[in-house]
Amino acid sequence: RRMTKLEIANTLLYKPYQKWIVLVPGLRREQVAQRLEKKFLWTEEQTKEFLDNASEGYLFPDTYLLNVEEGGKDMAKRLISNFNEKFDAQMQKDLLAQNVRMDTAVKIASLIERESGSDEDKALIAGIIWNRLNKGMKLQIDATTQYITGTKDNWWKRVDPADHRIDSPYNTYIYKGLPPTAIANPSLASLKAAVYPEETDCFFYLHDLGKRIHCAVTYAEHLENIER
């Protein structure tokens, strides 16, 4: 409504001043940058500006209508602002009651996002991750190894057993605890799972070809699940 006749004519004749873009859950920040770069025809400098201001885990997956003239810094701020709106006061209050920091929940949510087969198993995976952390076990999550080995051509490579020996603070097969940062940008369902994990006695899990999760209390039971 606020556009002048000239602005309307220019938009219809030449190019839009806004564009829609869908950012799906589970992308790492470089993937988000690539999609924005392609959609808005960014220069290398604009892409770098976005990456310099984009915090892994806080670029909320959503459908956005963005101004084409916005720079990388402004778009990063917009995505992070949307995260802050979605991660509402109640979730923050419930985290505080558990004495859990937000960045801890975001890291766990990013692991859940890359590891889950569906929204239905997210809370169970969250419970297993918390069980391992509380027990002082290594998380041994393949998605963190994928984060280490990802490249521009393939950000989420199939894991080779040798990859688990790469010395990196993100390697949860070598180092205990959570990685230094989130490894992807999680959905609201994954964030909720991190805040409200399912209580379980399980410490191990795997997915079958139908993406159904199977958890086990002991490693021996886990080996049985693998065999099955």
Side-chain angles (χ1 to χ4, degrees):
R1 293 181 179 181
R2 293 188 296 271
M3 293 175 69
T4 67
K5 291 179 181 178
L6 182 58
E7 287 172 334
I8 294 171
N10 284 336
T11 299
L12 292 174
L13 289 171
Y14 301 108
K15 63 179 182 179
Y17 72 98
Q18 291 181 316
K19 288 184 179 181
W20 290 99
I21 186 167
V22 178
L23 300 175
V24 298
L27 302 178
R28 53 193 287 168
R29 67 192 190 104
E30 294 93 343
Q31 286 179 289
V32 175
Q34 284 179 337
R35 298 193 179 197
L36 290 169
E37 181 182 69
K38 183 177 180 181
K39 173 68 72 169
F40 295 98
L41 305 177
W42 278 354
T43 63
E44 187 176 320
E45 184 179 342
Q46 288 173 304
T47 303
K48 183 180 183 302
E49 182 187 32
F50 174 83
L51 289 170
D52 287 344
N53 291 276
S55 300
E56 192 77 272
Y58 297 83
L59 307 173
F60 193 78
D62 209 342
T63 299
Y64 293 89
L65 181 60
L66 300 171
N67 293 332
V68 297
E69 300 301 329
E70 280 190 15
K73 182 178 181 179
D74 290 333
M75 286 201 184
K77 284 183 176 180
R78 188 181 292 267
L79 269 57
I80 294 170
S81 176
N82 193 21
F83 171 92
N84 291 329
E85 288 181 18
K86 296 297 192 298
F87 201 99
D88 59 31
Q90 185 61 55
M91 290 173 67
Q92 293 181 42
K93 180 180 177 181
D94 292 339
L95 262 188
L96 188 62
Q98 300 173 55
N99 197 27
V100 177
R101 292 172 42 160
M102 181 189 288
D103 67 323
T104 297
V106 173
K107 290 177 187 179
I108 292 174
S110 72
L111 300 179
I112 295 167
E113 189 63 52
R114 295 303 312 179
E115 289 281 303
S116 60
S118 67
D119 285 353
E120 285 67 38
D121 63 20
K122 291 180 186 296
L124 175 57
I125 293 175
I128 293 170
I129 289 174
W130 274 115
N131 283 352
R132 288 192 171 194
L133 289 172
N134 292 333
K135 189 87 170 181
M137 295 172 61
K138 293 174 183 174
L139 292 179
Q140 295 185 322
I141 289 178
D142 285 0
T144 59
T145 304
Q146 288 180 301
Y147 189 74
I148 299 165
T149 60
T151 64
K152 190 173 183 178
D153 295 328
N154 186 356
W155 290 114
W156 301 102
K157 294 180 179 180
R158 186 180 181 87
V159 175
D160 186 282
D163 295 334
H164 295 318
R165 295 194 292 271
I166 297 172
D167 190 2
S168 165
Y170 285 89
N171 192 337
T172 55
Y173 277 80
I174 295 178
Y175 296 100
K176 292 181 180 179
L178 293 166
T181 69
I183 63 168
N185 293 283
S187 63
L188 184 59
S190 292
L191 289 165
K192 286 183 176 180
V195 179
Y196 310 110
E198 180 179 326
E199 287 191 21
T200 177
D201 293 326
C202 291
F203 283 86
F204 306 91
Y205 66 92
L206 58 80
H207 290 88
D208 61 27
L209 293 178
K211 294 188 177 181
R212 294 181 295 270
I213 194 169
H214 303 269
C215 80
V217 177
T218 67
Y219 188 63
E221 291 174 0
H222 183 56
L223 291 176
E224 290 176 9
N225 284 339
I226 293 173
E227 183 64 25
R228 249 200 334 271

